[in-house]
């Protein structure tokens, strides 16, 4: 009984310790628009590049998923900042000073993150800048460098990172898919749906699926969200990829959906 009591006390104190946040490692990622965002007009007039959707998720959501638990900071065009603050739960928008005396991994908002992104670009590591054909893909920077950029960077974050960071960080070429032109979200969409479906853990039917729905292919490739409804007479073809039907969606009779589809 004394041993059990001791274990209970240790567990209780550990939970208190976690509640206070002591011992936690604070990680920061900063998702930014680069100086090539104009190439994506007109589809980014009213949203930052990282709020574009390719596959099931927004580009920003894919990046956040790759580094769970990290503080997310966002940098976008100034006229979009207020909207971004309202729509996201970012730790800061257009304010690098909010990162404080901490390291940060900067990620291009047009980066199409695969499920292996954290392996290709880990949070931990030396100061490093990753480029693809001259475009800044990422920069892993120490607190002192981040502070210098926030003080001296001016209005163009990407140029500041390259100018200041190159003197301190190693540079390497990296293979990466960047959403750079309006046709890129369409070009990458099929594979992006498949990757997102896998990451989100599909294969669940939480809504109403009429027994008279015709389903071709592996049922593990079907996700039906809570409150969704698929009526009799619908055809779902899963042979070429998954079909993800979101929460509350209604698919009426005589519809045909070919996967991969969201």
């Amino acid at each position: 009984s004394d041993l059990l009591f001791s274990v209970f006390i240790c567990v209780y104190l550990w939970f208190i310790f976690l509640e206070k946040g002591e011992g936690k490692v604070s990680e920061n990622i900063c998702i930014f628009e680069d100086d090539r965002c104009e190439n994506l007009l007109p589809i980014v007039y009213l949203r930052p590049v990282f709020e574009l959707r390719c596959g099931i998720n927004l580009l920003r959501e894919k990046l956040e998923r790759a580094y769970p638990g990290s503080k997310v900071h966002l940098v976008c065009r100034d006229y979009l900042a207020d909207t971004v603050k309202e729509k996201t739960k970012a730790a800061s928008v257009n304010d690098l000073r909010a990162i404080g005396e901490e390291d940060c991994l900067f990620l291009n908002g047009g980066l199409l993150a695969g499920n292996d992104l954290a392996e290709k670009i880990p949070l931990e590591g030396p100061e490093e800048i990753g480029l693809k054909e001259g475009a800044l893909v990422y920069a892993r920077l120490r607190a002192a460098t981040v502070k210098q950029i926030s003080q001296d960077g001016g209005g163009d974050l990407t140029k500041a990172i390259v100018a200041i960071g190159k003197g301190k960080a190693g540079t390497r070429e990296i293979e990466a898919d960047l959403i750079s032109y309006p046709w890129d979200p369409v070009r990458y969409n099929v594979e992006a749906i498949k990757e997102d479906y896998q990451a989100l853990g599909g294969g669940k039917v939480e809504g109403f699926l009429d027994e008279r729905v015709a389903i071709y292919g592996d049922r593990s490739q079907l996700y039906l969200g809570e409150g969704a409804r698929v009526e009799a007479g619908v055809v779902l073809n899963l042979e070429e990829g998954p079909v993800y039907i979101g929460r509350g969606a209604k698919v009426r009779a005589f519809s045909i959906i070919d996967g991969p589809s969201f």
Side-chain angles (χ1 to χ4, degrees):
S1 60
D2 290 339
L3 178 60
L4 288 173
F5 180 75
S6 299
V7 170
F8 173 80
I9 293 298
C10 289
V11 171
Y12 177 74
L13 291 174
W14 175 248
F15 272 108
I16 292 178
F17 185 74
L18 289 178
E19 282 286 321
K20 291 182 178 179
E22 297 175 19
K24 290 183 179 178
V25 177
S26 176
E27 303 286 3
N28 296 278
I29 63 172
C30 178
I31 303 171
F32 63 90
E33 288 191 305
D34 68 9
D35 53 0
R36 303 182 181 198
C37 64
E38 289 187 357
N39 292 338
L40 277 158
L41 294 175
I43 63 174
V44 295
Y45 269 128
L46 302 178
R47 73 200 67 183
V49 173
F50 49 74
E51 292 296 298
L52 292 175
R53 190 180 304 277
C54 184
I56 296 174
N57 296 118
L58 304 176
L59 299 180
R60 170 181 56 80
E61 292 171 334
K62 299 176 197 289
L63 293 170
E64 292 174 347
R65 185 172 68 221
Y67 305 98
S70 297
K71 289 182 186 176
V72 179
H73 305 267
L74 302 173
V75 174
C76 60
R77 283 159 285 162
D78 287 336
Y79 75 89
L80 295 171
D82 288 342
T83 300
V84 172
K85 288 176 184 177
E86 289 184 12
K87 286 189 173 182
T88 68
K89 297 179 180 179
S92 73
V93 177
N94 288 9
D95 184 11
L96 294 186
R97 294 170 300 177
I99 297 174
E101 301 292 328
E102 297 180 6
D103 302 343
C104 185
L105 176 63
F106 291 82
L107 296 161
N108 191 315
L111 177 60
L112 183 59
N115 294 335
D116 60 348
L117 182 67
E119 298 175 14
K120 289 183 177 180
I121 308 175
L123 275 171
E124 297 297 329
E127 281 199 300
E128 187 174 70
I129 291 175
L131 302 172
K132 180 183 180 181
E133 300 174 355
L136 178 63
V137 178
Y138 76 93
R140 187 189 306 107
L141 302 177
R142 296 288 177 247
T145 309
V146 175
K147 184 177 181 180
Q148 184 179 353
I149 290 170
S150 66
Q151 292 174 340
D152 306 336
D156 195 323
L157 176 63
T158 54
K159 288 181 180 178
I161 288 176
V162 173
I164 296 173
K166 267 191 172 181
K168 302 181 179 183
T171 303
R172 74 178 180 109
E173 284 290 320
I174 183 172
E175 281 298 318
D177 293 326
L178 291 174
I179 302 297
S180 303
Y181 298 97
W183 50 84
D184 284 339
V186 179
R187 174 187 175 193
Y188 293 116
N189 193 50
V190 167
E191 291 306 314
I193 289 175
K194 292 178 180 179
E195 288 233 8
D196 286 343
Y197 187 86
Q198 181 182 359
L200 294 170
K204 300 176 184 177
V205 175
E206 298 175 336
F208 172 75
L209 181 68
D210 193 285
E211 61 182 13
R212 293 163 292 178
V213 171
I215 299 176
Y216 298 102
D218 183 356
R219 282 181 175 248
S220 70
Q221 295 298 292
L222 173 64
Y223 174 82
L224 186 62
E226 183 180 351
R229 182 180 180 85
V230 182
E231 296 181 352
V234 171
V235 177
L236 302 176
N237 186 348
L238 313 173
E239 294 179 334
E240 299 297 325
V243 171
Y244 188 105
I245 300 172
R247 183 171 55 187
K250 291 180 174 59
V251 184
R252 303 300 304 275
F254 312 120
S255 300
I256 299 174
I257 301 177
D258 291 321
S261 189
F262 163 57

